[in-house]
């Protein structure tokens, strides 16, 4: 089953240059590496387009069926876009595009796909992805993960390469705000005070989640009377003194019972 997030994506480096490159020379890893020098995961974040990572092939008749590559940004940052430059061979562009077709991009705080946010999914109704690809991805997270698969018994769209599907990423450029807790085209606007983990939408400043006790888009409203905690989802219990409501953050009676 394919999932199609409603996201804008464009080919090439069509990103705002005011945003910071937050993936340069960060720690990268991959699911498997083809034997030989010069195929390491770190090649995709060295800003040298002549060096590329390379994995073992995946395919219906290959031992490997899935592949992933990820970069650890070193902290939780507000992200704006992810640009990927895939390796090309003169005269074989369609083959290379077919190899990368169907890939997914995730943003994660833990480094594993489970529980991550899907940023982009190349599906059967999309064109084959360009070899210089940018996904607009206003998320926050510590890891960016590339994933692809080729399973036996699955019908893939026309144009998808099905055997000996090598993954060769030459550069992955994650753009965002290097200063944690900031957003805006120049990364100079602080996220609202009550945003959880000091992260917010890099363009609008809207909080992804609120700290306990707060609600609304910018987390500037207290929980309603009688409610407290994360997402204002917990109801006050007991009898606070003078009929007061409980603390909107802790749920306790500040003036006693």
């Amino acid at each position: 089953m394919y999932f199609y997030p409603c996201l804008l994506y464009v080919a090439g480096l069509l990103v705002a240059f005011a945003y910071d490159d937050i993936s340069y020379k960060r720690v990268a890893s991959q699911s498997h590496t083809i034997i030989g020098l010069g195929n390491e995961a770190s090649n995709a974040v060295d800003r040298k387009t002549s060096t590329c990572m390379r994995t073992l092939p995946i395919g219906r008749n290959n031992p490997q069926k899935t592949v992933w590559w990820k970069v650890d940004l070193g902290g939780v940052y507000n992200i704006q876009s992810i640009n990927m430059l895939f390796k090309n061979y003169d005269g074989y562009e369609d083959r290379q595009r077919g190899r990368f077709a169907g890939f997914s991009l995730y943003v994660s705080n833990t480094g594993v796909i489970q529980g991550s946010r899907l940023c982009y999914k190349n599906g059967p109704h999309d064109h084959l992805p360009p070899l210089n690809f940018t996904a607009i991805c206003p998320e926050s997270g510590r890891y960016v993960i590339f994933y692809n698969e080729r399973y036996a018994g699955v019908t893939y769209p026309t144009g998808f390469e099905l055997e000996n599907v090598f993954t060769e990423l030459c550069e992955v450029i994650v753009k965002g705000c290097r200063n944690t807790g900031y957003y805006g085209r120049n990364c100079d606007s602080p996220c609202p005070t009550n945003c959880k983990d000091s992260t917010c939408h890099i363009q609008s400043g809207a909080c992804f989640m609120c700290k306990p006790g707060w609600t609304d888009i910018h987390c500037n409203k207290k929980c309603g009377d009688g409610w407290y905690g994360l997402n204002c989802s917990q109801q006050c219990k007991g009898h606070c003194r003078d009929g007061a409501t409980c603390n909107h953050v802790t749920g306790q009676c500040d003036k006693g019972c």
Side-chain angles (χ1 to χ4, degrees):
M1 179 179 293
Y2 285 96
F3 175 72
Y4 311 105
C6 184
L7 290 174
L8 171 67
Y9 68 94
V10 292
L13 292 169
L14 300 180
V15 295
F17 290 102
Y19 292 114
D20 303 317
D21 179 353
I22 56 176
S23 58
Y24 175 49
K25 287 192 175 181
R26 294 295 189 179
V27 176
S29 55
Q30 59 198 42
S31 51
H32 38 77
T33 304
I34 197 166
I35 297 175
L37 297 175
N39 298 316
E40 294 81 9
S42 59
N43 287 346
V45 290
D46 63 3
R47 299 303 172 262
K48 298 176 182 178
T49 58
S50 59
T51 61
C52 309
M53 54 74 77
R54 196 179 197 213
T55 65
L56 294 168
I58 63 173
R60 295 185 302 183
N61 293 317
N62 293 101
Q64 304 290 339
K65 307 300 181 187
T66 65
V67 60
W68 57 260
W69 176 95
K70 66 181 175 183
V71 59
D72 180 356
L73 302 175
V76 176
Y77 294 96
N78 291 328
I79 295 170
Q80 192 266 345
S81 63
I82 303 167
N83 171 248
M84 296 186 299
L85 179 64
F86 299 116
K87 187 175 179 64
N88 194 10
Y89 296 92
D90 290 341
Y92 293 94
E93 181 174 340
D94 286 346
R95 182 199 68 183
Q96 291 299 90
R97 292 173 66 192
R99 285 176 169 176
F100 295 113
F103 75 91
S104 303
L105 289 174
Y106 295 89
V107 175
S108 167
N109 287 339
T110 63
V112 297
I113 290 176
Q114 292 77 12
S116 300
R117 280 88 65 199
L118 179 63
C119 171
Y120 172 79
K121 170 65 178 176
N122 179 248
H125 300 295
D126 299 330
H127 296 295
L128 294 178
L131 298 182
N132 192 350
F133 175 90
T134 296
I136 303 302
C137 185
E139 287 281 357
S140 70
R142 175 166 179 161
Y143 299 86
V144 170
I145 306 171
F146 166 94
Y147 173 83
N148 210 351
E149 61 186 34
R150 290 292 188 273
Y151 284 112
V154 175
T155 300
Y156 292 96
T158 302
F160 279 47
E161 292 288 321
L162 303 178
E163 301 294 344
N164 297 320
V165 179
F166 291 95
T167 297
E168 297 169 288
L169 293 167
C170 297
E171 286 302 318
V172 178
I173 302 172
V174 182
K175 289 280 189 171
C177 291
R178 184 175 291 113
N179 293 328
T180 58
Y182 282 80
Y183 76 99
R185 294 180 67 86
N186 296 311
C187 295
D188 56 0
S189 298
C191 291
T193 302
N194 295 312
C195 287
K196 189 175 184 294
D197 300 323
S198 297
T199 58
C200 62
H201 192 287
I202 198 168
Q203 295 167 341
S204 69
C207 299
F208 294 114
M209 292 185 66
C210 297
K211 292 178 180 178
W214 299 92
T215 186
D216 206 25
I217 294 176
H218 294 99
C219 300
N220 55 3
K221 292 185 178 179
K222 295 181 179 181
C223 296
D225 287 350
W227 297 89
Y228 75 98
L230 190 63
N231 298 322
C232 297
S233 60
Q234 295 174 275
Q235 193 167 12
C236 296
K237 298 179 180 179
H239 303 279
C240 294
R241 186 175 180 179
D242 299 327
T245 187
C246 72
N247 185 286
H248 67 107
V249 176
T250 65
Q252 297 177 350
C253 297
D254 292 336
K255 297 182 178 179
C257 301

